[in-house]
Amino acid sequence: MPFAHRFKPDKWYAHGLSVLVLVLLTSSVPALLIRSFLFQPFSIPSGSMVPTLQEGDHVFVSKFAYGYSRYSVPFTLLPIEGRMFGAEPKRGDVVVFKFPSDPSIDYIQRIVGLPGEKIQMVDGVLHINDVPVGLEDAGTFPYEEMSQPAKLQREALPGGVSHFVLDLADNSVGDNTRVFEVPEGHYFVLGDNRDNASDSRFTVGFVPYENLVGKAVRLFWNSKGTVYSSRQTLDGSAVE
């Protein structure tokens, strides 16, 4: 081009690399702020929360529901101890948390035990402070890993939260446990798929308050094409 030599950009934003950096900053910073402090999407890779959440589900997690800890922001950009603007989770909340033994791993399960409480499973029924929670049969659920449908049950937790759980087999390894005394500053979590979940009964143990990433609030997509319209709101109320 004959006039190319006459054009020499004198502004920093006229250079290609700088323009690229500007585009990345303007697009990624708002996204990082939203994911860190407001809502973050998570995918469900396993069946530990069936029937509430199924493989391929994608959920929005509220990052501000319980305040913020060092696990709220990626790349440890918030190096604090404990939580800022903390709020206590409620029994029945479906939460994303960092696996206590390896914080690089995210788990999603339901809080059933609060600090200071005694938790035990007796014949497949959850007991809180030696009192069994409400549990009634609610039909069957088509479970692809079994040749026949699984038993569907409705569990009613103290405080009014009602939700569905699966019972795949009688007398499974997690149906009868010792008494767990939840330490202060920790929570006891269970998967809704009671016979196919690694939760506080097993390797997860008690979940520290600061390990909570956020509260799952809405299911917005399933990558496997599974119908999710009746499961979109994760408010702890079972849907028929």
Side-chain angles (χ1 to χ4, degrees), residues 44 46-55 57 141-145 150 152 164-168 191-197 231:
I44 309 301
S46 70
S48 67
M49 281 295 291
V50 174
T52 304
L53 295 171
Q54 302 179 32
E55 291 185 53
D57 282 350
F141 183 85
Y143 194 65
E144 60 182 18
E145 297 183 18
L152 185 67
F164 289 129
V165 297
L166 281 192
D167 181 13
L168 304 183
D192 289 349
N193 191 348
R194 292 292 161 81
D195 295 329
N196 190 22
R231 300 183 291 116

Side-chain angles (χ1 to χ4, degrees), residues 45-78:
S46 70
S48 67
M49 281 295 291
V50 174
T52 304
L53 295 171
Q54 302 179 32
E55 291 185 53
D57 282 350
H58 288 66
V59 299
F60 283 125
V61 171
S62 169
K63 303 297 285 290
F64 56 86
Y66 310 129
Y68 306 99
S69 74
R70 56 179 169 160
Y71 297 118
S72 300
V73 181
F75 316 118
T76 62
L77 295 177
L78 194 65

